Amino acid sequence: MLESAGSRTEHREPAITRENVTAKPIDAHEPWMRGLHADTGYLLYRLGLRSGQLFNACLQESGLRLRHYAVLRFLAGTDGALQRELSTRLGYDPSAIVGLVDDLEKLGFAERRPSPDDRRSRIVVLTGSGRDFLRDTDEAGLRVTGELLGPLDPAERESLHALLLRIAEDGLN
């Protein structure tokens, strides 16, 4: 578009909006894509994002996210945990744990109780409703995993899981 501003003429490009930008499918054979796909760390990052997006979509109805699920899943294997333990074990910021536990308490999935070892401390425990919720989400988790790992046969899925577990045990501690 040309506009006259005094004696000079200015050219303005139309604003870029979602409506006038169409996403082109990614061509895996483009040189820049081959470079990214040669980077295992990038592939793990992208698959992790996709996995989180799919699982969060499954959890969306309940108002929870993957981080809430991780807290619930951790609590399912314990008799309760201090918030600072949840923070350390899950790798979440302590202030984030407070909000996550608040959310879970509001839904009745977890509750804070006095610690038997230190009455000034509170432990977070999973409730019966929290256990029911986890049981119900197990199927959704299997669907997400099935979608992500669809191109692999069962033996390849097992191998991938074993390799990722070995990396996680070493790299996340």
Side-chain angles (χ1 to χ4, degrees):
M1 167 174 16
L2 294 177
E3 288 187 12
S4 180
S7 62
R8 73 173 217 253
T9 303
E10 185 179 321
H11 176 75
R12 289 192 187 158
E13 295 293 326
I16 296 176
T17 64
R18 289 194 131 155
E19 291 78 31
N20 63 8
V21 174
T22 56
K24 294 189 301 187
I26 295 174
D27 181 355
H29 301 292
E30 289 186 39
W32 67 272
M33 226 21 209
R34 283 194 308 269
L36 285 175
H37 285 181
D39 182 340
T40 303
Y42 175 78
L43 289 174
L44 287 170
Y45 167 75
R46 286 297 306 229
L47 289 171
L49 283 177
R50 184 68 182 136
S51 175
Q53 290 167 343
L54 292 171
F55 203 78
N56 278 330
C58 291
L59 293 171
Q60 191 172 15
E61 288 178 21
S62 65
L64 298 183
R65 308 217 13 105
L66 191 51
R67 294 169 63 97
H68 295 98
Y69 176 81
V71 171
L72 290 173
R73 186 54 67 199
F74 180 85
L75 291 174
T78 69
D79 290 329
L82 296 169
Q83 288 183 173
R84 67 178 166 265
E85 180 185 5
L86 290 171
S87 172
T88 302
R89 299 292 294 272
L90 295 172
Y92 295 162
D93 185 82
S95 62
I97 290 293
V98 171
L100 293 170
V101 173
D102 287 348
D103 294 343
L104 294 171
E105 268 194 318
K106 286 177 192 165
L107 292 167
F109 293 164
E111 63 185 24
R112 292 176 175 102
R113 295 182 183 161
S115 170
D117 302 328
D118 180 358
R119 294 183 61 187
R120 295 170 296 167
S121 296
R122 317 251 316 143
I123 60 171
V124 182
V125 296
L126 189 64
T127 64
S129 295
R131 287 192 194 288
D132 293 344
F133 176 79
L134 281 175
R135 189 175 42 254
D136 294 344
T137 58
D138 284 344
E139 186 177 311
L142 290 173
R143 279 195 316 269
V144 166
T145 300
E147 184 175 330
L148 279 174
L149 303 182
L152 304 179
D153 66 41
E156 290 171 321
R157 289 177 187 208
E158 273 187 50
S159 294
L160 176 63
H161 183 82
L163 292 169
L164 290 172
L165 188 58
R166 195 163 86 201
I167 293 168
E169 287 173 348
D170 186 56
L172 297 179
N173 291 330

